[in-house]
Amino acid sequence: MATIFSKIVAGEIPSYKVAEDDKFYAFLDINPLVKGHTLVVPKKEVDYIYDLSDEELAAMHVFAKHVALAIQKAFPCRKVGEAVIGLEVPHAHIHLIPIQNESDMLFSNPKLKLSDEEFKSIEERIHNAWEGKA
Ligand code: AMP
């Protein structure tokens, strides 16, 4: 059965898409730690990120880098932190989180509750900053 992230990539489930190419897709985490919290997924359905080939993993990180640069442009921060957890959704993904402090990366922190309008505005800001956009 397709994962929820494959359904997002296929457009069967809506998402706030910030970037896409032929192999990867980036969209806003629906339970963000901070504004701009983004997920990067491979279109190929693989559960564990380290089951990707070396080439696929490298390409995913290059894609993630450019999404991170767009996030930082859209949401000025000290750095964009990266995390791989993957216990909840069995489809490899990288969390990209704009941080001011180390504690912004704590997944035990309460998640933000954002309106559809707020998500759309964040989506637009990051997408507009993404250099790979069509
Ligand atoms: P983990 O697998 O522990 O890295 O967590 C999965 C992440 O996916 C969580 O931060 C969820 O908020 C996020 N997530 C789950 N479903 C969706 C969805 N439909 N759209 C956006 N983010 C989601």
Side-chain angles (χ1 to χ4, degrees):
M1 204 176 91
T3 66
I4 188 164
F5 290 170
S6 285
K7 289 180 182 170
I8 283 176
V9 168
E12 293 163 14
I13 290 180
S15 69
Y16 299 98
K17 179 176 87 172
V18 299
E20 180 178 17
D21 72 5
D22 57 331
K23 292 194 176 66
F24 306 103
Y25 190 98
F27 57 104
L28 300 182
D29 193 304
I30 207 73
N31 302 301
L33 284 168
V34 296
K35 286 187 178 181
H37 182 167
T38 296
L39 300 176
V40 171
V41 302
K43 293 186 173 179
K44 176 177 162 182
E45 199 174 288
V46 170
D47 175 0
Y48 190 36
I49 195 165
Y50 300 123
D51 283 335
L52 290 169
S53 70
D54 291 356
E55 292 72 24
E56 289 165 335
L57 186 61
M60 186 171 173
H61 273 95
V62 171
F63 181 83
K65 168 186 170 176
H66 291 278
V67 176
L69 293 176
I71 292 171
Q72 191 157 16
K73 217 179 205 178
F75 291 90
C77 53
R78 281 175 67 194
K79 289 196 171 169
V80 173
E82 182 178 306
V84 174
I85 304 177
L87 292 179
E88 189 187 313
V89 178
H91 186 138
H93 52 281
I94 294 172
H95 293 259
L96 295 175
I97 303 167
I99 54 172
Q100 303 296 351
N101 299 293
E102 204 177 298
S103 59
D104 292 335
M105 291 283 294
L106 288 177
F107 280 81
S108 52
N109 285 346
K111 309 300 185 293
L112 298 182
K113 296 273 175 243
L114 302 177
S115 66
D116 183 51
E117 287 67 34
E118 287 174 303
F119 273 117
K120 280 185 178 144
S121 145
I122 296 166
E123 172 190 42
E124 193 180 332
R125 278 169 68 175
I126 298 173
H127 180 71
N128 287 342
W130 180 53
E131 63 194 44
K133 69 177 187 272

